[in-house]
Amino acid sequence: DTGVSQNPRHKITKRGQNVTFRCDPISEHNRLYWYRQTLGQGPEFLTYFQNEAQLEKSRLLSDRFSAERPKGSFSTLEIQRTEQGDSAMYLCASSLAGLGGNEQFFGPGTRLTVL
Amino acid sequence: GQQVMQIPQYQHVQEGEDFTTYCNSSTTLSNIQWYKQRPGGHPVFLIQLVKSGEVKKQKRLTFQFGEAKKNSSLHITATQTTDVGTYFCSNGGSRQAGTALIFGKGTTLSVSS
């Protein structure tokens, strides 16, 4: 499977715990995005990398959230001191810089439930 | 900030009926993208429109980009049960800038046979 993969697919945690998610983009894609989606809403942008550089971060992203893409390949998203409001589907997407559009390929997501 | 709005939020049709969803942006878009998300699935890219007034077709799906590049529509002819899902429009950003996508809330289509 050469698509975007995310792990874990589901995560249940207690409030106050830290969680980390991983995203493996399509191998030749140099751009990687994190989104959050709640029921009945469209994906909400969190942050974006080009290669290993984090180029954009949503103002909605609190300081409890941090993302890395150390070697310009896979990325991790960490949420510290989770809150019940963090419960959502966390989607990763990747795209390839170059001519044309900015179509993004999404992974299956990690569903986070904070108890 | 830029907003992308979609109507209707929900639409139920009988199989064989047509369906249209509309997307409006608060600002002029360089391009617009459409995605489909099946229940329990993730968004899947359908198409990108770039030119003012552009119309593109994919089998039973017709996509239009407004002349002012601030609105778009997706029309499905003779819906089938496989069309069920939520259709999102988003600002396409630009490939050079690699900007993040701003999604509308989507239109959820249900089809009864």
Side-chain angles (χ1 to χ4, degrees):
Chain A
D1 186 353
T2 58
V4 178
S5 62
Q6 292 186 246
N7 288 288
R9 296 291 306 276
H10 303 272
K11 178 69 176 179
I12 300 174
T13 191
K14 292 183 178 179
R15 188 176 52 187
Q17 298 294 306
N18 299 344
V19 294
T20 300
F21 309 142
R22 175 177 170 130
C23 171
D24 287 88
I26 293 171
S27 58
E28 62 268 27
H29 284 184
N30 55 356
R31 289 181 176 156
L32 187 147
Y33 306 79
W34 285 99
Y35 294 89
R36 176 171 62 191
Q37 187 176 29
T38 54
L39 196 63
Q41 301 294 317
E44 175 188 35
F45 168 72
L46 294 178
T47 190
Y48 143 65
F49 292 85
Q50 177 151 328
N51 300 313
E52 66 276 8
Q54 189 173 18
L55 296 187
E56 192 172 344
K57 199 172 173 180
S58 169
R59 286 171 291 179
L60 301 175
L61 205 64
S62 80
D63 56 7
R64 297 184 298 105
F65 287 70
S66 62
E68 294 182 341
R69 195 183 183 198
K71 297 181 180 179
S73 57
F74 74 92
S75 175
T76 57
L77 176 68
E78 180 183 17
I79 308 174
Q80 295 181 328
R81 305 181 303 281
T82 52
E83 301 173 357
Q84 288 185 328
D86 297 331
S87 295
M89 176 72 84
Y90 288 84
L91 293 165
C92 174
S94 69
S95 69
L96 179 62
L99 297 177
N102 189 28
E103 60 268 27
Q104 299 187 3
F105 296 83
F106 284 82
T110 295
R111 182 169 295 283
L112 173 65
T113 302
V114 181
L115 302 176
Chain B
Q2 184 176 52
Q3 290 186 320
V4 175
M5 293 149 287
Q6 285 185 255
I7 55 170
Q9 187 174 0
Y10 301 99
Q11 182 78 57
H12 177 79
V13 299
Q14 295 288 322
E15 191 171 21
E17 293 182 336
D18 292 355
F19 159 76
T20 304
T21 174
Y22 300 91
C23 177
N24 294 287
S25 170
S26 56
T27 59
T28 301
L29 301 169
S30 58
N31 58 81
I32 195 162
Q33 297 182 349
W34 286 92
Y35 289 78
K36 177 183 179 181
Q37 186 171 22
R38 294 181 185 275
H42 56 274
V44 175
F45 175 80
L46 293 177
I47 207 161
Q48 176 171 281
L49 305 173
V50 179
K51 298 177 183 177
S52 169
E54 187 172 14
V55 178
K56 286 188 177 180
K57 291 189 175 183
Q58 290 180 349
K59 298 182 181 178
R60 295 178 295 102
L61 276 61
T62 302
F63 303 84
Q64 288 189 306
F65 200 10
E67 294 290 340
K69 301 184 74 174
K70 294 182 73 174
N71 57 76
S72 179
S73 65
L74 159 58
H75 179 81
I76 302 178
T77 304
T79 54
Q80 300 175 358
T81 54
T82 54
D83 296 324
V84 164
T86 300
Y87 293 85
F88 294 101
C89 64
S90 74
N91 69 321
S94 73
R95 202 153 194 176
Q96 286 69 38
T99 54
L101 300 182
I102 298 173
F103 286 83
K105 291 187 176 183
T107 296
T108 299
L109 172 65
S110 58
V111 180
S112 54
S113 56

